Amino acid sequence: MVKLEDMVTVYYKARANKRRSRDAVRFEMDFKAGLLQLWRSVNERTFTAHSNYAFVVRRPKPREIFATVMETRIIHHYIDWRMRPIYESVLSDRSFNNRKGKGLHAAIKTFRDDVRELSCNYTKDAWCIHLDLKGYFPNADVEIALAQQLDLIERYYEGEDKDDLKYMMEVCMRADPARHCSVFVPRSNWDVIAPEKSLFNKPTGTGGAIGFLCWQNAMGLYINDVVKWLQSHEFMRVVVFVDDIYIVTADKPKALAIIPELRERLAALKVRLNEKKFYCQHYSKGIMCLGSMLKFDRIYTSNKTTKSAFYRFSTARVRGPLKYVLPNMLASVNSTLGIFSGKTSFKVVSRLQECVNRSLGKFLELKPGKQSFIIREMFKRDLRRVA
């Protein structure tokens, strides 16, 4: 049985960074009654996850995103809260997405270190292979992913709410959001999404929802056994980030020879490699890795990301109520600058900072000794007064 105090604990986790959203405000207005009703629906097995909504984002590339109402979001966070220690114990240390202490920058640096190791500090030959999984989320098999999650709970979870956790997992992963969602944006927004990458074009039982925390975790585990199999080969190193697989090896023929078996193992999970996104080249030519260019000990941000950042900063304008626009604008600026942190991009960062000063200098100022911006004091006072 799920305890009400645990549901309260998870609610505070779920609402973090979401308190300004319309749905979070709606729920918080009477959150005690909402949590009590949610708690009862789980214990009485009447909970459904049918209230979702969908939209499209265009940067860094067009993607279809699904989101949930706060009630379902709380359940997603409850599952993550209980399952996180298990995920960390079973996932390969070569899988970097959706994990604390890892992430994008850690994946890039690990791959750079792998290249240095297998090339004996850039004194011997080594080759880098990039593999991409075609339609990883949209083509996932719901029942395979769910069976993996239920198996983990059965084998490793010992809490009193074990059966409840299984129930919540089944409901959330079988939610079929494309058939149970609201769309508050023009359907023409989907014109930039390839038809085969939209869950609206998939049959029931196929496709994981990008944006659902339960599916973000599930897809990290989906090919975990395949990743561990790749990792078992001593002649190469592997780094995996969502649907991107990077391999570095000093023995090119051996590495290429395992690709057919890799395809077979992935096919058992209804996953296939993207034939149009494959390359194998010597490390000295430079390696594109997760939006960065690696060349020996240097890491550069890709030209596409840099051009996009300059365009966004040069055209940035503050439009609308300051209490909403300024915090969002600040988060966007600092997160973009964070992409360049830890890379050989000192001149680029300086030019981006100048660009921000020209377009948003009236509202934002550079934090002393840092690469990040803060809201000017006069506008901070205004925001406090409005709040």
Side-chain angles (χ1 to χ4, degrees):
M1 180 175 179
V2 174
K3 296 179 180 179
L4 182 58
E5 54 265 33
D6 290 339
M7 198 68 77
V8 174
T9 299
V10 173
Y11 166 63
Y12 288 111
K13 294 177 181 290
R15 78 173 188 178
N17 303 320
K18 290 290 183 180
R19 294 190 71 178
R20 290 181 181 272
S21 69
R22 182 180 302 176
D23 186 67
V25 172
R26 171 195 61 80
F27 188 86
E28 190 167 0
M29 289 176 66
D30 194 9
F31 74 94
K32 292 182 180 179
L35 285 174
L36 184 61
Q37 182 178 353
L38 181 63
W39 170 70
R40 286 174 175 166
S41 69
V42 171
N43 287 326
E44 294 172 2
R45 300 295 191 268
T46 59
F47 170 73
T48 62
H50 290 169
S51 297
N52 310 293
Y53 51 97
F55 56 95
V56 172
V57 297
R58 294 176 179 267
R59 290 194 178 94
K61 65 171 75 171
R63 291 189 187 278
E64 175 185 76
I65 306 295
F66 287 89
T68 70
V69 295
M70 180 55 74
E71 289 85 346
T72 308
R73 180 178 171 83
I74 292 170
I75 299 301
H76 285 187
H77 277 265
Y78 189 97
I79 294 171
D80 180 75
W81 183 48
R82 293 305 197 195
M83 295 294 293
R84 179 55 51 185
I86 298 175
Y87 291 144
E88 294 300 329
S89 67
V90 301
L91 284 172
S92 165
D93 61 354
R94 288 286 162 162
S95 182
F96 287 82
N97 53 292
N98 207 42
R99 300 177 68 183
K100 291 182 179 180
K102 290 187 177 289
L104 181 70
H105 295 299
I108 295 170
K109 291 178 180 178
T110 299
F111 189 66
R112 180 197 60 185
D113 293 341
D114 291 341
V115 174
R116 182 191 292 126
E117 176 193 351
L118 292 189
S119 65
C120 297
N121 202 24
Y122 310 114
T123 60
K124 295 184 178 179
D125 288 333
W127 288 265
C128 299
I129 301 172
H130 174 221
L131 305 170
D132 180 82
L133 305 181
K134 188 176 180 67
Y136 187 45
F137 270 79
N139 293 321
D141 188 289
V142 172
E143 294 306 316
I144 291 176
L146 176 59
Q148 291 175 341
Q149 298 293 312
L150 295 179
D151 181 61
L152 283 186
I153 297 173
E154 183 62 37
R155 291 167 57 191
Y156 299 109
Y157 191 72
E158 300 296 338
E160 295 178 355
D161 55 347
K162 186 172 185 175
D163 291 337
D164 304 281
L165 191 60
K166 289 181 179 179
Y167 167 73
M168 288 185 280
M169 186 73 78
E170 290 179 9
V171 172
C172 290
M173 295 194 67
R174 286 177 174 157
D176 196 10
R179 254 62 66 180
H180 302 96
C181 76
S182 301
V183 179
F184 301 116
V185 296
R187 291 306 295 261
S188 59
N189 287 11
W190 268 259
D191 292 344
V192 298
I193 303 291
E196 67 272 11
K197 291 189 176 182
S198 174
L199 295 193
F200 290 101
N201 300 319
K202 299 292 182 180
T204 299
T206 299
I210 299 176
F212 279 20
L213 181 57
C214 65
W215 271 106
Q216 298 294 134
N217 290 332
M219 295 310 289
L221 183 76
Y222 198 66
I223 61 168
N224 189 53
D225 290 341
V226 177
V227 175
K228 288 185 174 180
W229 171 74
L230 287 172
Q231 191 178 347
S232 67
H233 295 84
E234 296 182 356
F235 57 85
M236 68 185 194
R237 302 289 182 271
V238 60
V239 166
V240 178
F241 193 88
V242 193
D243 57 353
D244 289 295
I245 301 175
Y246 294 90
I247 295 172
V248 58
T249 179
D251 195 330
K252 180 179 174 182
K254 279 187 178 180
L256 293 177
I258 69 169
I259 299 298
E261 185 176 352
L262 173 61
R263 292 182 188 276
E264 292 178 4
R265 289 174 178 264
L266 291 174
L269 298 170
K270 300 184 180 180
V271 178
R272 57 177 290 194
L273 295 177
N274 191 336
E275 299 83 0
K276 296 181 179 180
K277 294 184 179 180
F278 170 87
Y279 73 70
C280 174
Q281 65 183 28
H282 199 272
Y283 70 85
S284 61
K285 296 182 179 180
I287 311 149
M288 282 301 301
C289 178
L290 299 173
S292 297
M293 170 63 74
L294 310 184
K295 194 153 188 180
F296 296 96
D297 269 337
R298 301 185 297 278
I299 303 178
Y300 302 98
T301 306
S302 69
N303 291 336
K304 181 179 179 180
T305 302
T306 303
K307 289 178 181 178
S308 176
F310 275 110
Y311 175 77
R312 290 177 65 189
F313 287 173
S314 62
T315 59
R317 298 292 183 272
V318 175
R319 300 184 180 93
L322 291 182
K323 67 174 182 177
Y324 300 121
V325 176
L326 271 187
N328 291 339
M329 186 67 72
L330 179 68
S332 177
V333 168
N334 287 337
S335 64
T336 302
L337 289 174
I339 295 174
F340 296 84
S341 64
K343 300 178 182 177
T344 314
S345 308
F346 306 110
K347 290 184 178 180
V348 173
V349 170
S350 292
R351 289 171 55 202
L352 284 172
Q353 290 170 349
E354 293 173 3
C355 197
V356 173
N357 281 328
R358 285 194 299 269
S359 59
L360 300 171
K362 177 181 176 181
F363 305 97
L364 306 179
E365 63 181 347
L366 192 62
K367 194 173 183 179
K370 302 289 184 179
Q371 290 186 355
S372 59
F373 282 80
I374 56 176
I375 298 174
R376 290 190 179 276
E377 190 62 34
M378 61 181 294
F379 293 103
K380 282 185 180 178
R381 291 195 297 270
D382 291 342
L383 293 178
R384 294 192 199 105
R385 192 177 301 120
V386 171

